[in-house]
Amino acid sequence: MIDEWVTQMKVGNSEAAERARRVHVEKYPDDDERPSAAQARATASTSANAVAAYPASDFLADVRADGQVNGIYCGPASGLGMIKTQDGVGFHSRKDGNLPYQVHMANYEHMQTDYYGATDWARGQWRRGVNNWRGTNYYTQVGGSVSSAYEFSKAVQYAVNHDSKGVGVSTVEYVGKPHYNEHPNRLIGHWIWAYGFSQDGAYTHLADPAHSLATFPDSQPRFSIGRSTLWLNVEEHGYVN
């Protein structure tokens, strides 16, 4: 559905793009009823003029690239950074009313990071935490084994350009194999999130919470990377969009 929307947007077929959009929204509704830029852009995207102007690059505004407060909070840090960017810095949890602090996203009502000692991909903890915080079922988990770098890129384009939302990304880095954003050469399981794309989706722009850790001295809060290069670290797990 997302693939079809992006494809039709790029060729200027507004009717086909709108049909694909409706199918996706019906399956993965966002229950947030507050007026937002995302709603305005979703409406605009159905017009012929908006389709004709589909951008080669697009980014969320005022990106929060929050650093993680400890070594296991990459999940809570990336999830809250994304939520603060797309929903506002003061967006309280709709599950328990807590303020947007990483320790609250790490609790049992959200990502359960403290309980398990990690934000595990296999348990779907990141998706669970973000959806519980936002009070919606918008986010769904997509395994790398059933996707591809190209499909991931389209998911980012749909989320950013159509919904004004980010995409969670679960990565794995092995000793002696590809690393990204100047990460140290060791085994790393890590959560980052995508806030934009450029060159027609060939490059993904991401926020990395590891930049606050002393063991990641050369990592930047935000970075861009080719989708095929990033996919080397994503394909074992996947993404949440």
Side-chain angles (χ1 to χ4, degrees):
M1 293 173 284
I2 289 175
D3 184 283
E4 179 69 7
W5 181 84
V6 173
T7 299
Q8 298 303 331
M9 286 283 282
K10 289 180 177 178
V11 300
N13 190 334
S14 59
E15 293 183 0
E18 172 62 6
R19 286 196 296 271
R21 184 191 75 83
R22 289 186 179 279
V23 170
H24 185 268
V25 169
E26 287 174 5
K27 187 170 184 180
Y28 303 111
D30 188 351
D31 300 326
D32 190 349
E33 297 178 352
R34 294 175 298 112
S36 66
Q39 292 171 337
R41 293 176 69 180
T43 300
S45 72
T46 63
S47 71
N49 289 338
V51 172
Y54 184 78
S57 301
D58 200 7
F59 309 89
L60 300 182
D62 301 320
V63 172
R64 293 295 301 254
D66 293 354
Q68 58 194 89
V69 299
N70 62 40
I72 67 169
Y73 273 16
C74 59
S78 57
L80 279 181
M82 186 183 74
I83 287 171
K84 289 177 183 178
T85 298
Q86 66 190 34
D87 298 306
V89 296
F91 191 79
H92 291 221
S93 169
R94 290 186 169 176
K95 182 70 173 180
D96 60 13
N98 267 321
L99 290 166
Y101 298 142
Q102 292 175 32
V103 67
H104 295 155
M105 180 62 89
N107 71 21
Y108 199 82
E109 297 298 325
H110 297 94
M111 290 190 184
Q112 303 179 334
T113 308
D114 287 334
Y115 183 82
Y116 289 109
T119 308
D120 191 64
W121 167 262
R123 295 189 185 94
Q125 291 168 232
W126 199 94
R127 173 196 54 77
R128 177 185 189 275
V130 168
N131 278 339
N132 282 358
W133 195 283
R134 298 185 69 246
T136 178
N137 67 347
Y138 172 87
Y139 281 96
T140 187
Q141 188 164 294
V142 180
S145 62
V146 298
S147 189
S148 68
Y150 188 61
E151 290 169 342
F152 165 71
S153 174
K154 287 195 172 185
V156 172
Q157 292 175 70
Y158 184 92
V160 172
N161 181 255
H162 181 275
D163 285 352
S164 292
K165 290 181 170 61
V167 174
V169 185
S170 180
T171 64
V172 182
E173 302 165 83
Y174 289 99
V175 175
K177 293 189 176 181
H179 290 257
Y180 61 87
N181 195 25
E182 302 297 330
H183 282 190
N185 184 27
R186 59 182 176 83
L187 177 62
I188 303 169
H190 192 51
W191 282 96
I192 55 181
W193 70 277
Y195 65 84
F197 62 92
S198 59
Q199 296 188 32
D200 203 28
Y203 283 83
T204 305
H205 296 251
L206 304 110
D208 182 356
H211 69 86
S212 60
L213 300 177
T215 51
F216 288 71
D218 300 317
S219 296
Q220 299 300 308
R222 296 188 288 181
F223 70 101
S224 63
I225 188 171
R227 64 187 172 205
S228 297
T229 302
L230 177 64
W231 191 251
L232 296 173
N233 299 116
V234 176
E235 60 184 344
E236 184 170 332
H237 284 178
Y239 53 95
V240 181
N241 74 309

